[in-house]
Amino acid sequence: MRKDLFNFGPALGYFFRKPDPTRHTNFNLRTMHFINKLSMAMFLVGFIVLLYRWFLR
């Protein structure tokens, strides 16, 4: 089994990294990143709800 299979560091870093001042940004890019973060957060909440229903009921 590969050790890096469950490496969630890059995914968590996506949520908590600081903006890079050297990188150009615009409205479309900021919107895309916001939608990506929102969709990942909604997925995690849904997954936690499913785990709760499966194991605690």
Side-chain angles (χ1 to χ4, degrees):
M1 183 173 198
R2 293 177 28 173
K3 290 184 178 184
D4 61 341
L5 186 61
F6 292 104
N7 183 8
F8 296 111
L12 292 175
Y14 181 77
F15 279 100
F16 301 113
R17 66 180 172 196
K18 300 209 184 308
D20 186 7
T22 61
R23 181 176 274 176
H24 178 70
T25 181
N26 60 17
F27 175 76
N28 292 335
L29 188 61
R30 286 191 312 263
T31 304
M32 179 194 68
H33 284 292
F34 172 76
I35 291 171
N36 284 345
K37 289 177 184 180
L38 183 64
S39 65
M40 283 191 275
M42 289 175 64
F43 172 80
L44 288 175
V45 168
F47 189 68
I48 290 169
V49 168
L50 282 176
L51 289 176
Y52 171 77
R53 288 182 181 177
W54 285 338
F55 292 113
L56 296 177
R57 282 194 171 180

